[in-house]
Each structure stands twice: as structure tokens, then as C-alpha cells.
Amino acid sequence: MGDQKFWLFKSEPKAYSFQDLLREKDQTAEWDGVRNYQARNFLRNEMKIGDGVLFYHSSSDPLAIVGLARVVREGYPDFTAFDETSIHYDPKSTENSPIWYMVDIKAEKEIIEPVTRELLKRTNGLEGMMLLQRGSRLSIQPVTSEQWEIINKMVFQQGSEK
């Protein structure tokens, strides 16, 4: 676990929800379509098999972490960039010189009571979380191991008090 990293992946549920991931074969999917260089660098250079993923629904009500997942395939060229029929097509990205990358993730746990952004903002130890910083719009964000532990405690305590 020493080299393991943790991430938050944002997705608009209308485009791709955690429930969509759960419906995939083996509950595993490519995380394609990322078109931001900083996020691409995380996908290409930093994510490793076994890294933890907080699946976050953005542009939704409420904004919330709705599932936990794992990286199951490290960064590889995002082939949707080569497909002229894809909404993620980029004519500058080619198979010989790819610009965009993706990873595969596998669902691990659906969070029955989503961990809302408002709850995260009120939780001690999460003040520095990138998600909670003003103007933070990156679709893939690093999460510290301390933040991961705090959020996992929140997730796994659900239901134990009821």
C-alpha cells in the first residue's frame, strides 16, 4: 500500500453514472474522453493498478461521492480520440502519436447514502481536498491517503448507526 495512490473521478451522471459502471461487463470500464492535459498526465503517468477511485457525480443534485472503484489497467492511448464518429475525436491525436490517455476502472462499492459535497466541506481533515477548493474544475484529482481514509470511514460507517 506504500505506493498506492488515490483519486477522485468526476462524471456527470447523465453522461456516465456509477450505475452505468455497475452495469458494465465485470463492472469494469474504460475511463475515456478526458481532454485536459493535467488530468491526462495523471492518467498517463501516475495511475497504477490497485489505485483507489472515489466516483463523484458532478452537475447533479446533490453533488456527491457515489461509489468506490479501483484502477485495473494503467494508462494507455484513448482510442476515442482517433474515431471521427466519437464526441471525443481529436484530429491531432493519432495512433502513432497519441495525445490522450485513459485507464480502466472496476466498481468496488456503491455508496447507498452518497457522501455529499456539503458533508465533505463540514468534515475535519478534508479542508485541503482539491475538490473543495474554489475554482477547482479538474475531472480527475489526486486524493491524499488521509483524505481517502476519512472518506472511507464515512462510507463504511453508513448503516452501522441505523
Side-chain angles (χ1 to χ4, degrees), residues 62-109:
L63 302 169
I65 298 167
V66 296
L68 303 177
R70 289 266 167 221
V71 174
V72 293
R73 182 176 177 191
E74 294 178 11
Y76 60 102
D78 182 344
F79 53 77
T80 65
F82 317 140
D83 179 357
E84 292 182 35
T85 65
S86 171
I87 59 170
H88 303 301
Y89 175 63
D90 181 348
K92 293 187 237 76
S93 186
T94 65
E95 291 185 47
N96 292 333
S97 184
I99 296 171
W100 306 111
Y101 282 73
M102 60 185 172
V103 298
D104 292 358
I105 63 168
K106 179 177 177 69
E108 286 208 324
K109 177 178 176 49

Short mmCIF file of all heavy atoms in Angstrom, two decimals, residues 62-109:
data_model
loop_
_atom_site.label_atom_id
_atom_site.label_comp_id
_atom_site.label_asym_id
_atom_site.label_seq_id
_atom_site.Cartn_x
_atom_site.Cartn_y
_atom_site.Cartn_z
N PRO A 62 -27.77 15.70 -5.24
CA PRO A 62 -26.65 16.51 -4.77
C PRO A 62 -25.35 16.14 -5.50
O PRO A 62 -25.25 15.07 -6.10
CB PRO A 62 -26.55 16.13 -3.29
CG PRO A 62 -26.94 14.69 -3.27
CD PRO A 62 -28.02 14.55 -4.33
N LEU A 63 -24.37 17.05 -5.41
CA LEU A 63 -23.01 16.73 -5.81
C LEU A 63 -22.49 15.77 -4.76
O LEU A 63 -22.55 16.07 -3.57
CB LEU A 63 -22.15 18.00 -5.84
CG LEU A 63 -22.64 19.12 -6.76
CD1 LEU A 63 -21.86 20.40 -6.49
CD2 LEU A 63 -22.51 18.71 -8.21
N ALA A 64 -21.97 14.61 -5.18
CA ALA A 64 -21.63 13.61 -4.14
C ALA A 64 -20.73 12.51 -4.67
O ALA A 64 -20.75 12.19 -5.86
CB ALA A 64 -22.91 12.99 -3.59
N ILE A 65 -19.98 11.92 -3.73
CA ILE A 65 -19.27 10.68 -4.00
C ILE A 65 -20.31 9.57 -3.89
O ILE A 65 -20.98 9.44 -2.87
CB ILE A 65 -18.12 10.47 -2.99
CG1 ILE A 65 -17.09 11.60 -3.11
CG2 ILE A 65 -17.47 9.10 -3.19
CD1 ILE A 65 -16.09 11.66 -1.97
N VAL A 66 -20.43 8.78 -4.96
CA VAL A 66 -21.50 7.78 -5.01
C VAL A 66 -20.98 6.34 -5.10
O VAL A 66 -21.76 5.40 -5.04
CB VAL A 66 -22.46 8.06 -6.19
CG1 VAL A 66 -23.18 9.39 -5.98
CG2 VAL A 66 -21.72 8.04 -7.51
N GLY A 67 -19.66 6.19 -5.27
CA GLY A 67 -19.13 4.85 -5.38
C GLY A 67 -17.62 4.81 -5.21
O GLY A 67 -16.95 5.84 -5.30
N LEU A 68 -17.13 3.61 -4.95
CA LEU A 68 -15.70 3.36 -4.85
C LEU A 68 -15.31 2.41 -5.97
O LEU A 68 -16.06 1.49 -6.31
CB LEU A 68 -15.35 2.73 -3.51
CG LEU A 68 -15.74 3.50 -2.25
CD1 LEU A 68 -15.40 2.69 -1.00
CD2 LEU A 68 -15.06 4.85 -2.20
N ALA A 69 -14.12 2.65 -6.54
CA ALA A 69 -13.64 1.80 -7.63
C ALA A 69 -12.13 1.65 -7.50
O ALA A 69 -11.50 2.27 -6.62
CB ALA A 69 -14.01 2.43 -8.98
N ARG A 70 -11.55 0.83 -8.36
CA ARG A 70 -10.09 0.60 -8.42
C ARG A 70 -9.63 0.73 -9.85
O ARG A 70 -10.35 0.37 -10.79
CB ARG A 70 -9.74 -0.81 -7.96
CG ARG A 70 -9.91 -1.04 -6.52
CD ARG A 70 -8.63 -0.84 -5.72
NE ARG A 70 -9.01 -0.79 -4.33
CZ ARG A 70 -8.51 0.04 -3.45
NH1 ARG A 70 -7.57 0.87 -3.76
NH2 ARG A 70 -8.93 0.03 -2.21
N VAL A 71 -8.41 1.19 -10.01
CA VAL A 71 -7.76 1.18 -11.32
C VAL A 71 -7.34 -0.27 -11.58
O VAL A 71 -6.66 -0.88 -10.76
CB VAL A 71 -6.54 2.12 -11.35
CG1 VAL A 71 -5.78 1.99 -12.68
CG2 VAL A 71 -6.97 3.58 -11.11
N VAL A 72 -7.77 -0.82 -12.73
CA VAL A 72 -7.43 -2.20 -13.07
C VAL A 72 -6.59 -2.30 -14.35
O VAL A 72 -6.13 -3.38 -14.70
CB VAL A 72 -8.69 -3.11 -13.17
CG1 VAL A 72 -9.35 -3.26 -11.80
CG2 VAL A 72 -9.67 -2.59 -14.21
N ARG A 73 -6.40 -1.19 -15.04
CA ARG A 73 -5.48 -1.14 -16.18
C ARG A 73 -4.85 0.24 -16.21
O ARG A 73 -5.55 1.25 -16.15
CB ARG A 73 -6.21 -1.42 -17.49
CG ARG A 73 -5.27 -1.44 -18.69
CD ARG A 73 -5.98 -1.80 -19.98
NE ARG A 73 -5.05 -1.73 -21.10
CZ ARG A 73 -5.41 -1.79 -22.37
NH1 ARG A 73 -6.69 -1.93 -22.69
NH2 ARG A 73 -4.51 -1.70 -23.33
N GLU A 74 -3.54 0.27 -16.29
CA GLU A 74 -2.81 1.55 -16.29
C GLU A 74 -2.98 2.27 -17.62
O GLU A 74 -3.46 1.69 -18.60
CB GLU A 74 -1.34 1.29 -15.96
CG GLU A 74 -1.18 0.79 -14.53
CD GLU A 74 0.24 0.46 -14.14
OE1 GLU A 74 1.19 0.80 -14.88
OE2 GLU A 74 0.42 -0.15 -13.07
N GLY A 75 -2.54 3.54 -17.63
CA GLY A 75 -2.77 4.42 -18.76
C GLY A 75 -2.36 3.85 -20.11
O GLY A 75 -1.28 3.30 -20.25
N TYR A 76 -3.24 4.03 -21.09
CA TYR A 76 -2.98 3.63 -22.47
C TYR A 76 -3.71 4.63 -23.38
O TYR A 76 -4.61 5.33 -22.93
CB TYR A 76 -3.40 2.18 -22.73
CG TYR A 76 -4.86 1.85 -22.49
CD1 TYR A 76 -5.75 1.73 -23.57
CD2 TYR A 76 -5.37 1.64 -21.21
CE1 TYR A 76 -7.09 1.42 -23.37
CE2 TYR A 76 -6.70 1.32 -21.00
CZ TYR A 76 -7.56 1.21 -22.09
OH TYR A 76 -8.88 0.90 -21.89
N PRO A 77 -3.31 4.71 -24.67
CA PRO A 77 -3.91 5.71 -25.54
C PRO A 77 -5.43 5.61 -25.61
O PRO A 77 -5.98 4.51 -25.72
CB PRO A 77 -3.27 5.43 -26.90
CG PRO A 77 -1.94 4.83 -26.56
CD PRO A 77 -2.22 3.98 -25.33
N ASP A 78 -6.09 6.74 -25.52
CA ASP A 78 -7.55 6.83 -25.60
C ASP A 78 -7.94 6.76 -27.07
O ASP A 78 -7.82 7.73 -27.81
CB ASP A 78 -8.03 8.14 -24.96
CG ASP A 78 -9.54 8.29 -24.97
OD1 ASP A 78 -10.23 7.56 -25.72
OD2 ASP A 78 -10.03 9.17 -24.24
N PHE A 79 -8.42 5.59 -27.48
CA PHE A 79 -8.74 5.37 -28.88
C PHE A 79 -9.96 6.15 -29.35
O PHE A 79 -10.17 6.29 -30.55
CB PHE A 79 -8.92 3.87 -29.18
CG PHE A 79 -9.88 3.16 -28.29
CD1 PHE A 79 -11.25 3.29 -28.46
CD2 PHE A 79 -9.42 2.37 -27.24
CE1 PHE A 79 -12.15 2.64 -27.63
CE2 PHE A 79 -10.31 1.71 -26.40
CZ PHE A 79 -11.67 1.83 -26.60
N THR A 80 -10.76 6.71 -28.43
CA THR A 80 -11.90 7.53 -28.87
C THR A 80 -11.41 8.79 -29.57
O THR A 80 -12.13 9.36 -30.38
CB THR A 80 -12.85 7.89 -27.71
OG1 THR A 80 -12.18 8.73 -26.77
CG2 THR A 80 -13.36 6.63 -27.00
N ALA A 81 -10.18 9.20 -29.28
CA ALA A 81 -9.61 10.38 -29.94
C ALA A 81 -9.34 10.13 -31.42
O ALA A 81 -9.25 11.08 -32.20
CB ALA A 81 -8.32 10.80 -29.24
N PHE A 82 -9.19 8.86 -31.81
CA PHE A 82 -8.89 8.52 -33.21
C PHE A 82 -10.16 8.29 -34.03
O PHE A 82 -10.09 8.14 -35.24
CB PHE A 82 -8.04 7.23 -33.30
CG PHE A 82 -6.92 7.13 -32.30
CD1 PHE A 82 -6.63 5.93 -31.70
CD2 PHE A 82 -6.14 8.24 -31.96
CE1 PHE A 82 -5.59 5.82 -30.78
CE2 PHE A 82 -5.12 8.14 -31.04
CZ PHE A 82 -4.84 6.92 -30.44
N ASP A 83 -11.30 8.22 -33.37
CA ASP A 83 -12.56 7.85 -34.01
C ASP A 83 -13.34 9.10 -34.42
O ASP A 83 -13.87 9.81 -33.57
CB ASP A 83 -13.37 6.99 -33.04
CG ASP A 83 -14.72 6.56 -33.58
OD1 ASP A 83 -15.09 6.96 -34.71
OD2 ASP A 83 -15.42 5.82 -32.86
N GLU A 84 -13.42 9.33 -35.73
CA GLU A 84 -14.09 10.54 -36.23
C GLU A 84 -15.56 10.61 -35.85
O GLU A 84 -16.15 11.68 -35.87
CB GLU A 84 -13.95 10.62 -37.75
CG GLU A 84 -12.51 10.87 -38.18
CD GLU A 84 -12.37 11.00 -39.69
OE1 GLU A 84 -13.30 11.54 -40.34
OE2 GLU A 84 -11.33 10.59 -40.21
N THR A 85 -16.16 9.48 -35.50
CA THR A 85 -17.58 9.47 -35.13
C THR A 85 -17.79 9.70 -33.63
O THR A 85 -18.92 9.84 -33.19
CB THR A 85 -18.26 8.14 -35.54
OG1 THR A 85 -17.67 7.08 -34.78
CG2 THR A 85 -18.09 7.87 -37.03
N SER A 86 -16.70 9.74 -32.86
CA SER A 86 -16.80 9.90 -31.41
C SER A 86 -16.90 11.37 -31.03
O SER A 86 -16.24 12.23 -31.65
CB SER A 86 -15.56 9.28 -30.74
OG SER A 86 -15.54 9.62 -29.36
N ILE A 87 -17.65 11.66 -29.98
CA ILE A 87 -17.70 13.04 -29.47
C ILE A 87 -16.35 13.45 -28.88
O ILE A 87 -16.10 14.62 -28.68
CB ILE A 87 -18.83 13.25 -28.42
CG1 ILE A 87 -18.64 12.32 -27.23
CG2 ILE A 87 -20.19 13.07 -29.04
CD1 ILE A 87 -19.55 12.63 -26.05
N HIS A 88 -15.47 12.47 -28.64
CA HIS A 88 -14.15 12.74 -28.07
C HIS A 88 -13.05 12.78 -29.14
O HIS A 88 -11.87 12.81 -28.80
CB HIS A 88 -13.81 11.69 -27.01
CG HIS A 88 -14.82 11.62 -25.90
ND1 HIS A 88 -15.13 12.69 -25.11
CD2 HIS A 88 -15.59 10.60 -25.47
CE1 HIS A 88 -16.05 12.34 -24.24
NE2 HIS A 88 -16.35 11.08 -24.44
N TYR A 89 -13.44 12.79 -30.40
CA TYR A 89 -12.48 12.79 -31.51
C TYR A 89 -11.56 14.01 -31.44
O TYR A 89 -12.00 15.12 -31.16
CB TYR A 89 -13.22 12.77 -32.85
CG TYR A 89 -12.32 12.88 -34.05
CD1 TYR A 89 -11.38 11.90 -34.34
CD2 TYR A 89 -12.41 13.98 -34.91
CE1 TYR A 89 -10.56 11.99 -35.45
CE2 TYR A 89 -11.59 14.08 -36.03
CZ TYR A 89 -10.66 13.08 -36.29
OH TYR A 89 -9.84 13.17 -37.39
N ASP A 90 -10.27 13.78 -31.67
CA ASP A 90 -9.28 14.86 -31.74
C ASP A 90 -8.36 14.56 -32.93
O ASP A 90 -7.52 13.65 -32.84
CB ASP A 90 -8.47 14.95 -30.45
CG ASP A 90 -7.46 16.09 -30.48
OD1 ASP A 90 -7.21 16.67 -31.56
OD2 ASP A 90 -6.89 16.38 -29.41
N PRO A 91 -8.49 15.29 -34.03
CA PRO A 91 -7.69 15.00 -35.22
C PRO A 91 -6.18 15.12 -34.99
O PRO A 91 -5.39 14.54 -35.74
CB PRO A 91 -8.18 16.02 -36.24
CG PRO A 91 -8.86 17.09 -35.47
CD PRO A 91 -9.36 16.44 -34.21
N LYS A 92 -5.76 15.83 -33.95
CA LYS A 92 -4.32 15.97 -33.66
C LYS A 92 -3.75 14.73 -32.96
O LYS A 92 -2.54 14.55 -32.93
CB LYS A 92 -4.08 17.22 -32.81
CG LYS A 92 -4.38 18.53 -33.54
CD LYS A 92 -3.95 19.71 -32.70
CE LYS A 92 -5.03 20.68 -32.40
NZ LYS A 92 -6.05 20.51 -31.49
N SER A 93 -4.62 13.92 -32.38
CA SER A 93 -4.18 12.71 -31.69
C SER A 93 -4.26 11.53 -32.67
O SER A 93 -5.33 11.26 -33.22
CB SER A 93 -5.07 12.45 -30.47
OG SER A 93 -4.58 11.38 -29.71
N THR A 94 -3.14 10.86 -32.87
CA THR A 94 -3.12 9.72 -33.80
C THR A 94 -2.60 8.48 -33.08
O THR A 94 -1.99 8.58 -32.01
CB THR A 94 -2.20 10.02 -35.00
OG1 THR A 94 -0.84 10.13 -34.52
CG2 THR A 94 -2.61 11.31 -35.72
N GLU A 95 -2.82 7.33 -33.70
CA GLU A 95 -2.34 6.08 -33.10
C GLU A 95 -0.82 6.09 -32.96
O GLU A 95 -0.28 5.54 -32.01
CB GLU A 95 -2.81 4.88 -33.92
CG GLU A 95 -4.31 4.69 -33.79
CD GLU A 95 -4.81 3.44 -34.49
OE1 GLU A 95 -4.20 2.37 -34.31
OE2 GLU A 95 -5.82 3.54 -35.21
N ASN A 96 -0.12 6.72 -33.90
CA ASN A 96 1.34 6.79 -33.84
C ASN A 96 1.84 7.86 -32.88
O ASN A 96 2.98 7.80 -32.42
CB ASN A 96 1.93 7.04 -35.23
CG ASN A 96 1.73 5.84 -36.13
OD1 ASN A 96 1.63 4.71 -35.67
ND2 ASN A 96 1.65 6.09 -37.43
N SER A 97 1.00 8.84 -32.62
CA SER A 97 1.38 9.93 -31.73
C SER A 97 0.17 10.35 -30.89
O SER A 97 -0.41 11.42 -31.08
CB SER A 97 1.89 11.12 -32.55
OG SER A 97 2.36 12.13 -31.70
N PRO A 98 -0.22 9.48 -29.94
CA PRO A 98 -1.42 9.78 -29.14
C PRO A 98 -1.19 10.95 -28.19
O PRO A 98 -0.10 11.11 -27.65
CB PRO A 98 -1.67 8.49 -28.37
CG PRO A 98 -0.33 7.82 -28.30
CD PRO A 98 0.41 8.22 -29.54
N ILE A 99 -2.23 11.73 -28.02
CA ILE A 99 -2.19 12.84 -27.06
C ILE A 99 -2.92 12.45 -25.78
O ILE A 99 -2.48 12.75 -24.68
CB ILE A 99 -2.84 14.10 -27.67
CG1 ILE A 99 -2.02 14.58 -28.89
CG2 ILE A 99 -2.96 15.21 -26.62
CD1 ILE A 99 -2.70 15.69 -29.67
N TRP A 100 -4.05 11.76 -25.93
CA TRP A 100 -4.95 11.49 -24.81
C TRP A 100 -4.84 10.06 -24.34
O TRP A 100 -4.64 9.15 -25.13
CB TRP A 100 -6.39 11.85 -25.20
CG TRP A 100 -6.47 13.25 -25.71
CD1 TRP A 100 -6.72 13.64 -27.00
CD2 TRP A 100 -6.23 14.44 -24.97
NE1 TRP A 100 -6.67 15.01 -27.08
CE2 TRP A 100 -6.37 15.53 -25.86
CE3 TRP A 100 -5.92 14.70 -23.64
CZ2 TRP A 100 -6.21 16.85 -25.45
CZ3 TRP A 100 -5.76 16.02 -23.23
CH2 TRP A 100 -5.91 17.08 -24.14
N TYR A 101 -5.02 9.88 -23.03
CA TYR A 101 -4.87 8.56 -22.40
C TYR A 101 -6.09 8.25 -21.55
O TYR A 101 -6.85 9.14 -21.17
CB TYR A 101 -3.60 8.51 -21.55
CG TYR A 101 -2.38 8.33 -22.41
CD1 TYR A 101 -1.89 9.36 -23.20
CD2 TYR A 101 -1.72 7.11 -22.48
CE1 TYR A 101 -0.80 9.19 -24.03
CE2 TYR A 101 -0.62 6.92 -23.30
CZ TYR A 101 -0.16 7.97 -24.07
OH TYR A 101 0.91 7.77 -24.90
N MET A 102 -6.24 6.97 -21.24
CA MET A 102 -7.32 6.53 -20.36
C MET A 102 -6.81 5.37 -19.51
O MET A 102 -5.74 4.82 -19.76
CB MET A 102 -8.54 6.10 -21.18
CG MET A 102 -8.33 4.97 -22.15
SD MET A 102 -9.87 4.75 -23.10
CE MET A 102 -9.35 3.59 -24.32
N VAL A 103 -7.56 5.04 -18.48
CA VAL A 103 -7.31 3.87 -17.65
C VAL A 103 -8.61 3.08 -17.61
O VAL A 103 -9.66 3.58 -18.02
CB VAL A 103 -6.88 4.24 -16.21
CG1 VAL A 103 -5.57 5.02 -16.20
CG2 VAL A 103 -7.98 5.00 -15.46
N ASP A 104 -8.56 1.86 -17.11
CA ASP A 104 -9.77 1.09 -16.85
C ASP A 104 -9.99 1.06 -15.34
O ASP A 104 -9.02 0.94 -14.57
CB ASP A 104 -9.63 -0.35 -17.36
CG ASP A 104 -9.58 -0.45 -18.88
OD1 ASP A 104 -9.69 0.58 -19.56
OD2 ASP A 104 -9.42 -1.58 -19.37
N ILE A 105 -11.25 1.19 -14.96
CA ILE A 105 -11.60 1.10 -13.54
C ILE A 105 -12.65 0.02 -13.34
O ILE A 105 -13.41 -0.30 -14.26
CB ILE A 105 -12.09 2.45 -12.96
CG1 ILE A 105 -13.39 2.92 -13.63
CG2 ILE A 105 -11.00 3.50 -13.03
CD1 ILE A 105 -14.07 4.08 -12.92
N LYS A 106 -12.68 -0.51 -12.14
CA LYS A 106 -13.66 -1.55 -11.77
C LYS A 106 -14.39 -1.09 -10.52
O LYS A 106 -13.77 -0.67 -9.54
CB LYS A 106 -12.93 -2.87 -11.49
CG LYS A 106 -13.87 -4.01 -11.08
CD LYS A 106 -13.10 -5.30 -10.91
CE LYS A 106 -13.96 -6.44 -10.43
NZ LYS A 106 -14.94 -6.92 -11.38
N ALA A 107 -15.71 -1.18 -10.57
CA ALA A 107 -16.53 -0.81 -9.41
C ALA A 107 -16.22 -1.73 -8.24
O ALA A 107 -16.04 -2.93 -8.42
CB ALA A 107 -18.01 -0.90 -9.77
N GLU A 108 -16.17 -1.16 -7.04
CA GLU A 108 -15.96 -1.95 -5.83
C GLU A 108 -17.14 -1.86 -4.87
O GLU A 108 -17.50 -2.83 -4.25
CB GLU A 108 -14.69 -1.49 -5.10
CG GLU A 108 -13.44 -1.92 -5.80
CD GLU A 108 -12.30 -2.09 -4.82
OE1 GLU A 108 -12.20 -1.32 -3.85
OE2 GLU A 108 -11.50 -3.02 -5.05
N LYS A 109 -17.71 -0.65 -4.73
CA LYS A 109 -18.79 -0.48 -3.76
C LYS A 109 -19.66 0.69 -4.17
O LYS A 109 -19.17 1.78 -4.42
CB LYS A 109 -18.21 -0.21 -2.36
CG LYS A 109 -19.28 0.05 -1.30
CD LYS A 109 -18.68 0.26 0.07
CE LYS A 109 -19.67 0.62 1.15
NZ LYS A 109 -20.86 -0.18 1.26
#
